[in-house]
Amino acid sequence: AAHKEDTPRKIVSEAGIIAGMIQSASLWKIQKTYMNQTLASQNESSVYKKLATAQNNDQIDRLHEELVDRFGKLPHQGQTLIDVHRLRVLARPYGVAKIDAAPGVILISFRPNPPIDAMRILELVQKNRHIKLAGNDKLRIERELPEATARVQMVRDVLRHLGQPTPAAATS
């Protein structure tokens, strides 16, 4: 029996967590030069669905290995897509609802009552001029980062500076 959590609406919602970053990554369509046209039409949506439904890095790593085994080294855009989904998995326990990451500004939006220590957020903002509070539920990072990989790394670093999320609250 399918869980309510596995509905297409939830998959779309989970994918929305990385909306701004996926713009550059989604430019990667599994290209004809990367795999033949028949495989592309059959496998492209399957790859995206598997990535969107991956719950942990092991699942993403297995999919990455499968792609490399079948088709060779991923193009830059493909690797970015993998990195973005790793970030989605990392961000979920912190109560992140959405990440908008444009080259000049990154917004990290949290769900109500995220499972992180509010003092850690305040310390992060006080120690880093380029990070600001944007309302009660957002962090605004003002830093010129033209490359998607640099934006992914910036979000990773910010989340890690917030410490470990509270496990009991992280599952909600």
Side-chain angles (χ1 to χ4, degrees):
H3 295 286
K4 183 178 180 183
E5 299 167 357
D6 295 331
T7 64
R9 186 170 293 191
K10 180 176 187 290
I11 293 168
V12 169
S13 172
E14 288 293 328
I17 202 171
I18 50 170
M21 302 191 81
I22 205 152
Q23 286 177 347
S24 65
S26 69
L27 295 175
W28 175 54
K29 295 289 185 183
I30 301 174
Q31 303 162 348
K32 287 182 218 172
T33 57
Y34 190 64
M35 63 174 106
N36 70 44
Q37 195 169 14
T38 304
L39 283 174
S41 64
Q42 292 174 352
N43 288 329
E44 185 175 339
S45 63
S46 173
V47 167
Y48 288 120
K49 182 178 178 182
K50 285 179 183 178
L51 280 171
T53 58
Q55 298 297 310
N56 58 54
N57 280 323
D58 289 339
Q59 292 173 339
I60 294 171
D61 291 343
R62 281 193 298 274
L63 181 58
H64 182 245
E65 288 174 21
E66 177 185 327
L67 289 170
V68 170
D69 287 348
R70 288 180 72 182
F71 310 113
K73 185 180 178 197
L74 293 179
H76 171 73
Q77 298 90 340
Q79 187 58 53
T80 299
L81 184 64
I82 297 290
D83 291 344
V84 164
H85 281 280
R86 285 189 177 123
L87 182 61
R88 174 184 55 81
V89 167
L90 173 69
R92 184 181 305 127
Y94 289 89
V96 173
K98 184 177 181 183
I99 298 169
D100 288 313
V105 176
I106 299 171
L107 284 173
I108 303 173
S109 302
F110 294 91
R111 291 184 173 88
N113 303 312
I116 50 181
D117 182 359
M119 290 306 296
R120 296 294 296 258
I121 294 173
L122 292 174
E123 289 170 9
L124 183 70
V125 170
Q126 289 172 350
K127 290 180 182 177
N128 298 278
R129 284 190 207 167
H130 63 283
I131 301 175
K132 297 173 175 44
L133 289 172
N136 292 331
D137 62 348
K138 290 181 187 153
L139 284 176
R140 178 181 175 95
I141 304 162
E142 297 174 353
R143 172 83 40 101
E144 194 60 41
L145 299 169
E147 296 296 320
T149 53
R151 295 190 301 268
V152 167
Q153 187 59 50
M154 175 60 74
V155 174
R156 266 193 216 117
D157 292 346
V158 166
L159 292 175
R160 289 188 177 130
H161 279 87
L162 294 177
Q164 290 298 313
T166 308
T171 59
S172 58

